Structures are given as structure tokens and as C-alpha cells.
């Protein structure tokens, strides 16, 4: 099996707070891996370490390695901008820019130098189709993205992310702010996307994890307690804590 | 006192304060019109507004050169202060480390607090000779006045724009960076455009101060009633005219000065309408609207 | 909650009483407000200071604003004494009483680096009217003449125009306007090509004196009339002055007051 991301002995600190402890995990390519665990145990911090979004926080420190396709992303010579093009992110609360729908999806492309109108139009259409949003917006591309519903906005954010053709898509609880129908639509979308993209999804919803992901990692207090195939984690957890969490005794 | 009665009194009290400020402004405007209209009536509206000669001792009351003077000084100073102020605001909001901000912000606030007579004096002693050495002429000019005004309105533009930039939700910045944009691209394409309504507000405030500034301009603009041939020619602003001559004007001269005040009020209203229209347009297009 | 309200009210009351106390003590003083000519201002201030040393119960306030302001303010009873550095026009006289407390000269000043130092009245008129525009027409370097004048209501301006320009010639319209005799001096001090008129009282070594037809302005040349640009320094009151105002004006015209006048380089009236 091919692993696209390999994390070795990762420790993350914010000033004195030790948030992630000795994380070791390999993320398989072109599959969906979900990260489960109770609130505040470091899942979001972990994925933000994968695209170096934690660099924005001045108190962030880390040691250990994070390899993307064999290269350490924290090597000082690494172009962070390019890294973030390859590792995209969808946030918990849909955050489309206060621009038109078209400009939202085209944003990443323009930022990376693509300005040809036809190329942009074509790529925007492709991305919106991949995100299962095209039919709903093809006639209102010039309208502000703020006028869309929550579910539509989140799909727009996904379209925006895949427009730049990343290798990995990080999703931080993408459905927690949405209603069940929008959630279903997005889960269908994830199924569609996993053929071409590696997806890492943080979720509180264990049913969602079983529905969409092939692999799962269980985080507790900043550590990975157990990780492996989703079926195995949920049906035959090897660690007591995992079993307690899954059966709902806490979290 | 029951809670309902207390609410009632507080509400009505606040209403009273708000209304009284409107009433005071209304009274001032009525007074200015009352004193100024006789001059316009007897001298003629077009003669007054478009007349080229201001010479009270000869009964001439044309204010057009001074309208040009005021407009010129204001617009020229906005032209310099807005780009400079915006760049400074972007620097403070997005780039400067916290330590630098701690020093720069109080400095700017102090600049805003310096009384205009000090600026005027500084202009007279330092700027005017400098202008004369660099650009010839007497050193008293529309440009000199604009430079002083730029320094005076810069703090307003910087601090209000900075607030607008800082109020842009963090999520936009994160979304942009997560897509692989650089910090500067994020500022240029996301943060700044979203902050434009707030920036326009800062420009309106700066413009208000610029149009009304009197003393500093009197000391450095030259106070010559003429339409300037270039920005390095001396001019007289409407405000300066009122301040210089109000002390001793009598009769129709006195009324004419109030009529100058009327022209000033209209000029401000027109400028504000234009600025607020831009504010409205930008707000609707963006659809988010902050500040 | 109630305690805070009460405390707040108490503090406000204390402040009000304190203010009232200080303001009340003020009314034990006699107050005289003087405003007007910026040329007369230093003399008036010197007189006021000396007077208040001997008569501490009188508080005298001296301000500038120009002769025009002084004339109008005293006519409207806004101030007790208006000062003027020019003669009153007939339509300005109204019910005003005039007291000449001294005579003074208008000095023509140029920059210290200006090579010239003597002009005839004709030349002066031509310079200020714009007929002569360049210093080289007067034997100086090739540079434009920057003329500096006072604002419309200035007594110095009026006196200058009456005596030099005459009824029919106007000062050039592009002359730089400054609003006090001190700022005219400052302008001339900084601009090598400038020329302007200031009062003799304000004269200092910052700028250079221009002789008029070979005569230098000084106390002597004003007294003997050889320096032509002279004008009266006047105190004006609306109607007959009474009480403290009358006493002050009488003192200014007395030998003690006139001594101060001389000290300020102004020609006394009662020699």
C-alpha cells in the first residue's frame, strides 16, 4: 500500500502546552482516513500541522517529522505556498469569500498565476461539477457566494479547494455546521472524490466515520490510541479506551 | 422606581440627547443661512458663487477662486494621505509585530492630538522655506497647505482603516492561505477588498477634517484670492477667508462671510454625498459589509 | 448601587461649589479687556503689566486680531478698550473716543541677505503695485520680488496704503497675505526675495531695514517728521470711559505710562 503522508514522533507544543504527543501514523493514498476522538484532544491541531497552518500561531513549536511523498514538509527550504496547494483544507464553518461564486472557485487558480479566462471558466466548471454543485449554480455564477445556503457554501468551499488539484484534502468536521440532507450530499461527494484524492476527515460523528472512511485513527488527550482499518477499529478495538469511546461511555 | 419606569426614562433621556444635538446643528445652520442670505440676495447668486473678485473695500464678493482653493487643497491632501494611510494601516494590521504596533499606535494618536496651530507654525518655519528652495516661488502654496493637511489627517485614516482591516474575520485569511496564497496575495485579494467600506469611512472622516481646517492653512497657503495656475501657487480657502476677515467685517461684508459659510456647507454636503454613495455601492457589491 | 449614585452626585456638587468659589473671587477684580492692532499689542501689554504691578486689583487682558477687530469689538461693547494703528474713517468713528498714546513708524523690511537698503517712495509704490517685479530693476540680483502684505482689516496695511499707495493705486493682487505683523516678519526673514511692512515696535535684527529716501526709521526721525511712514497708536473707548478704564487710560497718558511707551520704541505724545 502506498502512503502519501508519514508522520514520525510528532510532538506539538503551544508555549508550554503539550498538545500532541509522539504521534506516529501513515496515511494511505487515495483513500479516506477519519480521525475520531472527544473534543479538544488534538485532532484539528494534527491536521493543521499537515499543511503548516499552525505556523500562523506564534506560540507553535514542534519536533518530529512529517513526510509528504517522502519529503519533510518542515524542511526550511520547503515552499509553504506550494505545500498548501498540494494539501488543501476545508474548514468546519463554511467560509466562502465575500465574492461571487465564480471568483471563489477561481481564487486559488488566479493566485497561482492562471489568468486566462477560458481556462478559468473550464476549471471552475469542472470543480463545481466534481463538488456536485454545478447544476445548482451554473446560472448564478456572478452572484455573491454569501447568498448560498450553508450546505451549498460548504460544497463551494470544497469546489474551491479541489480547483487547484491538490493531492490531499484535509477536512475539519466539514458537516458539523450542516443539516442532515447537506451532510448526506457531502458524504456522497467524499465517496466520489476518494478515487482521485487522499482525504483526511476529522469527525465527531462515528456513524459518519464508518460510512465514509476506510481507515480510522482514534485520538485521546493528544495521542493516537489506536489506528487501522475502520471496520477493525469499530468492530474489534484492541484498546479498552477505544471501546469505551465507541460505545459511548464518554466523549 | 420600577424597572419599566427606569427603562422609560433612560430611553427618553437618550432620545433627548440625540435630538438636542440635531437641534443644535439645525440652529447653527439656520443662523448661518439667516445671516448669509441677504448678501446673496443683494449681490446675486451667480455673481457670488462664480465671481472672480473678492474685494470687500470695492464691494466685490466673488468666491469662486476660494472654492477652487478649498477643493484643491482638500483633494490634493486626500490624494496623498489616502494611499499613504492605507499602506500604513495594512502594515499595522497585518505585517507589524506586536512590539512595533505598541509603539506606532500611540505615536499616531499623539499626532492626531497635536493642535492645528502647532502644525501651522511648523509649516511656516520649516515647510515653507523648504518648498521655496525646492520648487521656487514664495513657498506659500496650495501644495504646502496640502502637505500639512496630509500629516494632520493621516492618523485618522490610518486608525479607522486599521480597525476595518482587523475586523475582517480570521476565517477568510485562513481559507486564502490554505489555498496556497501568500500573505500579500491574501491582503490584496481578500482582506483589503472586504475592508473597503471601512476604508471609505476613514476617508470621509479625513475629508471632513481637511475641509474644515482653518488655522494651519492660513499660515502656509499664502491667502491670495486667485485661481492657482499650478499647485505651487498660493491660494485662499473658504475657511481661511472667513477666519481672516470675520473680526472686522461689517454690513454686507459681514453677510457675505456668512454666505461663504453657506457655500462651504454645500461643498461639504456634496463631497459627503459622493463619498457615502461609494460606501453604499461597495457595501452592496461585497454583500458582507463590515463597519 | 444607590451609594454610587449618591457619591457621584456629591462629587459633582463639590466641583460646582469649588468652581463657583473661584469664579466669585474673580469678581473682586476689575477686569479690562483690550484687543485690536497687532502692532499696538506689545505696547499695550507692557503698559498693562506695569500698571498691574502698582494696581493689583485690576486685571487687564490684551489680545491681537487687527485694528479692524479692535474697532468693531469696542463699538459693540465686547471689549473695554480697542486698539488701532491707523486713523479712523469717518464711518468708523461712531460714538468712539480716541486717545492717542503714541506715534510709531511703519518699517519696510527685506531679508538680511538683500543687498539693497534704500528706496524712494515712488519705487516702494511701484514694487508693491507690481509695476517693478524683479529685484534687478532696483539694482539687485535677478530674482522675482515676493511681496508680503497684511490682511484687509489690518491698521498697518491701511496706514501703509494711505501713505504709500495713495487712493488710486492698488497693491498687486498676488501678494502673499499674512495675518499678523510678526508673521510678516517671519516670512521676510526666511525668503531672500521678500519685502514687507512691519511696525517699528516689532523690528529686530532678523530682518533688514529699508531706508525711505535715505531716512532710517527711529524715534528721532519720527519725532522730527523726517521719516514719513508714521501713524498713531490709539486706544478707543465706546463713549466716555469710566472707573478703572478711565484710570488706566489716564495713567497711560501720564509721564509714568509714557515712559513705558518710550521703552517700547514708540514716540510718546507728551514729551
Amino acid at each position: 500500500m502506498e502512503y502519501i503522508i508519514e508522520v514520525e514522533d510528532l510532538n506539538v507544543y503551544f508555549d508550554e502546552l503539550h498538545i500532541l504527543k509522539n504521534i506516529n501514523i501513515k496515511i494511505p493514498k487515495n483513500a479516506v482516513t477519519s480521525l475520531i476522538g472527544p473534543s479538544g484532544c488534538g485532532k484539528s491541531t494534527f491536521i493543521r500541522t499537515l499543511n503548516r497552518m499552525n505556523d500562523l500561531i506564534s506560540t507553535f513549536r514542534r519536533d518530529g517529522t512529517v513526510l509528504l511523498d517522502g519529503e519533510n514538509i518542515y524542511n526550511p527550504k520547503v515552499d509553504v505556498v506550494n505545500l498548501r496547494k498540494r494539501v488543501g483544507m476545508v474548514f468546519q464553518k463554511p467560509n466562502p469569500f465575500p465574492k461571487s461564486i465564480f471568483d471563489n472557485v477561481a481564487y486559488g487558480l488566479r493566485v497561482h498565476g492562471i489568468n486566462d479566462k477560458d481556462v478559468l471558466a473550464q476549471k471552475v466548471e469542472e470543480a463545481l461539477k466534481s463538488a456536485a454543485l454545478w447544476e445548482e449554480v451554473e446560472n448564478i455564477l456572478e452572484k455573491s457566494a454569501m447568498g448560498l445556503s450553508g450546505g451549498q457554501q460548504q460544497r463551494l468551499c470544497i469546489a474551491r479547494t479541489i480547483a487547484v488539484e491538490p493531492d490531499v484534502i484535509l477536512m475539519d468536521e466539514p458537516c458539523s455546521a450542516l443539516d442532515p440532507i447537506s451532510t448526506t450530499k457531502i458524504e456522497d461527494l467524499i465517496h466520489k472524490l476518494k478515487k482521485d484524492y487522499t482525504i483526511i476527515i476529522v469527525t465527531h460523528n462515528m456513524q459518519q466515520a464508518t460510512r465514509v472512511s476506510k481507515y480510522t485513527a482514534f485520538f485521546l488527550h493528544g495521542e493516537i490510541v489506536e489506528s487501522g482499518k475502520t471496520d477493525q477499529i469499530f468492530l474489534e478495538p484492541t484498546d479498552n479506551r477505544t471501546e469505551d469511546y465507541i460505545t459511548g461511555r464518554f466523549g | 422606581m420600577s424597572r419599566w419606569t427606569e427603562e422609560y426614562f433612560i430611553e427618553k433621556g437618550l432620545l433627548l440627547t440625540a435630538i438636542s444635538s440635531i437641534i443644535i446643528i439645525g440652529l447653527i445652520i439656520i443662523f448661518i443661512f439667516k445671516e448669509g442670505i441677504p448678501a446673496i440676495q443683494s449681490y446675486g447668486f451667480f455673481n457670488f458663487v462664480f465671481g472672480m473678485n473678492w474685494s470687500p473695500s470695492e464691494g466685490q464678493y466673488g468666491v469662486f477662486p476660494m472654492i477652487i482653493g478649498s477643493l484643491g487643497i482638500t483633494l490634493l491632501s486626500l490624494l496623498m494621505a489616502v494611499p499613504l494611510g492605507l499602506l500604513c494601516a495594512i502594515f499595522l494590521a497585518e505585517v507589524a509585530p506586536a512590539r512595533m504596533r505598541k509603539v506606532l499606535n500611540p505615536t499616531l494618536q499623539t499626532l492626531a492630538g497635536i493642535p492645528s496651530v502647532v502644525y501651522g507654525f511648523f509649516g511656516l518655519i520649516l515647510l515653507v522655506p523648504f518648498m521655496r528652495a525646492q520648487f521656487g516661488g514664495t513657498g506659500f502654496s496650495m501644495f504646502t497647505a496640502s502637505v500639512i493637511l496630509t500629516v494632520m489627517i493621516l492618523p485618522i485614516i490610518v486608525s479607522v482603516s486599521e480597525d476595518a482591516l482587523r475586523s475582517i474575520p480570521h476565517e477568510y485569511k485562513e481559507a486564502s492561505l490554505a489555498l496556497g496564497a501568500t500573505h500579500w496575495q491574501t491582503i490584496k485579494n481578500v482582506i483589503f477588498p472586504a475592508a473597503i467600506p471601512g476604508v471609505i469611512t476613514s476617508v470621509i472622516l479625513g475629508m471632513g477634517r481637511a475641509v474644515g481646517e482653518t488655522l494651519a492653512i492660513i499660515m502656509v497657503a499664502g491667502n491670495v484670492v486667485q485661481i492657482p495656475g499650478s499647485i505651487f501657487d498660493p491660494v485662499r480657502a473658504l475657511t481661511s477667508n472667513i477666519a481672516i476677515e470675520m473680526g472686522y467685517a461689517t454690513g454686507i461684508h459681514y453677510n457675505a462671510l456668512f454666505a461663504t459659510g453657506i457655500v462651504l456647507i454645500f461643498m461639504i454636503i456634496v463631497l459627503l454625498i459622493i463619498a457615502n454613495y461609494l460606501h453604499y455601492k461597495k457595501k452592496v457589491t461585497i454583500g458582507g459589509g463590515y463597519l | 448601587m444607590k451609594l454610587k449614585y449618591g457619591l457621584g452626585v456629591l462629587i459633582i456638587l463639590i466641583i460646582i461649589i469649588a468652581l463657583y468659589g473661584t469664579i466669585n473671587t474673580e469678581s473682586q477684580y476689575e477686569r479690562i479687556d483690550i484687543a485690536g492692532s497687532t502692532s499696538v499689542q506689545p505696547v499695550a501689554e507692557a503698559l498693562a503689566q506695569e500698571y498691574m504691578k502698582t494696581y493689583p486689583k485690576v486685571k487687564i487682558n490684551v489680545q491681537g486680531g487687527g485694528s479692524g477687530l479692535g474697532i468693531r469689538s469696542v463699538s459693540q461693547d465686547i471689549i473695554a478698550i480697542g486698539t488701532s494703528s491707523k486713523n479712523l474713517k469717518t464711518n468708523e468713528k461712531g460714538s468712539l473716543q480716541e486717545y492717542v498714546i503714541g506715534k510709531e513708524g511703519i518699517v519696510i523690511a527685506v531679508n538680511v541677505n538683500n543687498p539693497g537698503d534704500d528706496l524712494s517712495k515712488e519705487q516702494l509704490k511701484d514694487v508693491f503695485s507690481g509695476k517693478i517685479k524683479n529685484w534687478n530693476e532696483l539694482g539687485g540680483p535677478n530674482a522675482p520680488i515676493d511681496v508680503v502684505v497684511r490682511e484687509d482689516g489690518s491698521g498697518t496695511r491701511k496706514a501703509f496704503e494711505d501713505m504709500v499707495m495713495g487712493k488710486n493705486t492698488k497693491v498687486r493682487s498676488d501678494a502673499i497675505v499674512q495675518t499678523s505683523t510678526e508673521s510678516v516678519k517671519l516670512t521676510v526673514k526666511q525668503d531672500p526675495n521678500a519685502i514687507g511692512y512691519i511696525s517699528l515696535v516689532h523690528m529686530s535684527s532678523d530682518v533688514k531695514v529699508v531706508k525711505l529716501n535715505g531716512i532710517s526709521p527711529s524715534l528721532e526721525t519720527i519725532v522730527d517728521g523726517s521719516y514719513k511712514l508714521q501713524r498713531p497708536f490709539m486706544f478707543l473707548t465706546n463713549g466716555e470711559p469710566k472707573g478703572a478704564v478711565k484710570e488706566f487710560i489716564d495713567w497711560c497718558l501720564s509721564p509714568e505710562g509714557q515712559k513705558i511707551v518710550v521703552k517700547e520704541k514708540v514716540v510718546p505724545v507728551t514729551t
Side-chain angles (χ1 to χ4, degrees), chain A residues 4-35:
Chain A
I4 187 168
I5 291 181
E6 300 180 51
V7 179
E8 261 175 64
D9 298 325
L10 176 70
N11 283 287
V12 167
Y13 308 86
F14 290 113
D15 267 345
E16 299 310 314
L17 288 174
H18 194 174
I19 301 290
L20 292 176
K21 305 167 184 156
N22 289 324
I23 303 289
N24 284 285
I25 184 171
K26 296 196 198 312
I27 308 287
K29 192 167 172 178
N30 286 353
V32 180
T33 304
S34 61
L35 309 179

Side-chain angles (χ1 to χ4, degrees), chain A residues 203-215:
Chain A
T203 180
H204 265 158
N205 186 334
M206 286 182 284
Q207 285 75 27
Q208 180 173 80
T210 51
R211 283 194 296 265
V212 303
S213 65
K214 192 162 171 198
Y215 302 93

Side-chain angles (χ1 to χ4, degrees), chain A residues 136-171:
Chain A
E136 289 165 64
V137 301
E138 65 180 305
N139 293 321
I140 50 168
L141 289 175
E142 296 314 306
K143 290 233 153 133
S144 170
M146 310 308 264
L148 296 174
S149 77
Q152 290 172 317
Q153 285 187 358
Q154 192 64 304
R155 279 179 282 152
L156 178 65
C157 291
I158 295 176
R160 181 175 70 184
T161 309
I162 60 185
V164 296
E165 291 164 29
D167 298 324
V168 180
I169 304 178
L170 305 169
M171 297 193 178

Side-chain angles (χ1 to χ4, degrees), chain B residues 21-37 258 261-262 265-266 269:
Chain B
S21 31
I22 297 180
I23 290 181
I24 292 176
I25 296 180
L27 285 175
I28 293 177
I29 294 187
I30 292 177
F31 180 71
I32 294 179
F33 271 80
K34 177 166 154 285
E35 297 293 324
I37 293 280
F258 275 97
I262 298 178
I265 291 178
F266 275 116
I269 290 179

Side-chain angles (χ1 to χ4, degrees), chain A residues 61-75:
Chain A
R61 281 180 306 127
R62 53 100 231 150
D63 51 65
T65 48
V66 178
L67 299 178
L68 174 68
D69 273 340
E71 274 177 50
N72 185 357
I73 64 173
Y74 280 95
N75 187 320

Side-chain angles (χ1 to χ4, degrees), chain A residues 48 51 53 56 80-82 84-85 87-89 91 93 95-99 104 107-108 110-113 144 146 157 160-161 164, chain B residues 168-183 185-191 193-194 284-290:
Chain A
R48 286 169 62 102
N51 67 351
M53 283 301 276
L56 299 177
V80 176
V81 161
N82 197 42
R84 294 189 184 135
K85 180 169 180 273
V87 182
M89 188 173 233
F91 298 82
K93 188 164 150 270
N95 56 3
F97 301 125
K99 296 172 183 286
N104 261 282
Y107 182 81
R110 287 199 177 112
V111 141
H112 289 294
S144 170
M146 310 308 264
C157 291
R160 181 175 70 184
T161 309
V164 296
Chain B
I168 302 302
H170 202 56
E171 290 97 65
Y172 291 160
K173 198 168 152 188
E174 288 203 321
S176 172
L177 291 171
L179 287 166
T182 62
H183 194 188
Q185 280 174 320
T186 305
I187 295 174
K188 180 162 155 274
N189 295 313
V190 175
I191 300 181
V284 170
T285 320
I286 285 182
Y290 299 91

